[in-house]
Amino acid sequence: MSALICGSFAYDTIMVFHDRFRNHILPDQVHILNVSFLVPDLRREFGGCAGNIAYNLKLLGGDGLAMGTVGTDFQPYAEWMDRQGMSREHIRIIDGQYTAQAYITTDQDDNQITAFHPGAMNSSHENRVSDADGITLGLVSPDGRQGMIEHAQQFAEAGIPFIFDPGQGMPMFDGEDLMRFAEQATWLAFNDYEARLMQERTGKSLDELATLVEAIIVTRGGEGSRIHHDGRITEIPAAPAASLEDPTGCGDAYRAGLLHGLQNDMDWDTTGRIASLMGAIKIEQAGTQNHHFTLDEFRARFRDTFNYDFG
């Protein structure tokens, strides 16, 4: 079962300010704001939802193809993907554009100021689901607005079951848009904030939305996650992490776990726990694609964490 993962690729430039923003941003002077932060710590990471999910699914031994649009500056990322054995077959380079870029400055209180340039991501609709052969499972993750709309429609028209995962792309859609996604999708995935926003914009409760799909998955950070399916809720505990280094990309790691469970016809109790453990492993490392493990190591940790073996 091959999964097509539609979404973004991005470079994440992360800077650390060794002070607090509040010491330099004066509330009564924001109308003439002009500040500069010295950031002695800087790293550049490979990111974007499609790239992150495909990376994590590869670690689990899953069969996944990432589909996205990137700029002419993509070569370093491409070389990284090649080293990881990740397919670039459905990545389209857009001439005259940069790959999406996030510039994130974090202070000592873990506050963040982020600037995001979508770049080539806005051309994601130039890719079509039908460009990929042998796809039996799909995922629509944050991407260009038109691309998300068209890819969801293409999955639905092709009869390919897919997860709709709007993530940080949710503000681009109104209630009518979100209802259409819910009617097209097979599964919906949100964090708890996005789930509340989904309910507010559609005017539908999670129970009502759950009648449209096979399952709704809601992650809740350290409180674990909930999977609404078959008229009931399955509670998934948060897997313990050895350290809390960086939460960025945990949601993408979780979604790779969902895909792995779906690809292998696992029940929701096990699928959710695989996803939960993926998030815990990710949070132990800075960056979104810097964690590593073998499948045997993952199985052993799963057994130690949940006291049983999976599939």
Side-chain angles (χ1 to χ4, degrees), residues 1 70 74-75 90 107 109 129 133 138 144 147-148 159 191 193 214 223 230 239 246 251 257 269 280 283 306:
M1 180 180 283
V70 301
F74 190 66
Q75 188 59 31
H90 300 294
D107 74 357
D109 292 330
V129 167
D133 296 324
M148 293 178 70
N191 63 27
Y193 174 79
E214 292 187 11
E223 297 181 18
D230 302 317
D246 179 8
D269 292 271
I283 207 171
F306 300 114

Side-chain angles (χ1 to χ4, degrees), residues 37-103:
F37 302 113
L38 178 66
V39 287
D41 297 333
L42 180 148
R43 69 179 193 271
R44 195 182 197 210
E45 304 284 1
F46 301 122
C49 294
N52 294 340
I53 296 169
Y55 175 81
N56 283 280
L57 187 58
K58 181 73 176 179
L59 290 177
L60 286 169
D63 183 10
L65 298 172
M67 175 175 279
T69 45
V70 301
T72 53
D73 58 344
F74 190 66
Q75 188 59 31
Y77 203 147
E79 293 171 356
W80 164 256
M81 292 183 69
D82 291 344
R83 292 196 298 272
Q84 307 311 310
M86 298 163 63
S87 172
R88 294 191 283 115
E89 182 179 359
H90 300 294
I91 297 175
R92 183 188 298 266
I93 295 175
I94 306 299
D95 289 338
Q97 294 287 335
Y98 289 108
T99 302
Q101 316 262 336
Y103 295 90

Side-chain angles (χ1 to χ4, degrees), residues 179 182-183 185-186 188 204-216 228-231:
M179 278 302 300
E183 291 163 355
T186 315
L188 302 174
K204 302 289 186 181
S205 68
L206 287 183
D207 287 340
E208 291 173 311
L209 291 167
T211 65
L212 302 175
V213 294
E214 292 187 11
I216 299 176
H228 302 247
H229 66 101
D230 302 317

Side-chain angles (χ1 to χ4, degrees), residues 51-215:
N52 294 340
I53 296 169
Y55 175 81
N56 283 280
L57 187 58
K58 181 73 176 179
L59 290 177
L60 286 169
D63 183 10
L65 298 172
M67 175 175 279
T69 45
V70 301
T72 53
D73 58 344
F74 190 66
Q75 188 59 31
Y77 203 147
E79 293 171 356
W80 164 256
M81 292 183 69
D82 291 344
R83 292 196 298 272
Q84 307 311 310
M86 298 163 63
S87 172
R88 294 191 283 115
E89 182 179 359
H90 300 294
I91 297 175
R92 183 188 298 266
I93 295 175
I94 306 299
D95 289 338
Q97 294 287 335
Y98 289 108
T99 302
Q101 316 262 336
Y103 295 90
I104 305 165
T105 304
T106 303
D107 74 357
Q108 289 183 330
D109 292 330
D110 287 331
N111 296 308
Q112 290 186 334
I113 297 175
T114 300
F116 183 74
H117 172 66
M121 189 182 79
N122 282 338
S123 298
S124 61
H125 57 280
E126 295 189 21
N127 284 325
R128 297 184 58 82
V129 167
S130 59
D131 294 340
D133 296 324
I135 299 302
T136 55
L137 179 64
L139 187 148
V140 174
S141 63
D143 209 349
R145 182 181 188 277
Q146 193 59 32
M148 293 178 70
I149 291 171
E150 293 188 14
H151 294 154
Q153 181 177 344
Q154 290 160 14
F155 276 128
E157 290 175 349
I160 298 172
F162 74 96
I163 300 172
F164 175 60
D165 169 31
Q168 64 266 35
M170 181 168 273
M172 296 187 295
F173 304 109
D174 60 21
E176 183 178 344
D177 294 326
L178 293 169
M179 278 302 300
R180 184 173 61 252
F181 283 126
E183 291 163 355
Q184 293 168 330
T186 315
W187 308 278
L188 302 174
F190 310 107
N191 63 27
D192 49 359
Y193 174 79
E194 293 156 3
R196 288 194 296 272
L197 193 58
M198 180 76 175
Q199 293 173 86
E200 289 177 5
R201 292 198 172 178
T202 62
K204 302 289 186 181
S205 68
L206 287 183
D207 287 340
E208 291 173 311
L209 291 167
T211 65
L212 302 175
V213 294
E214 292 187 11

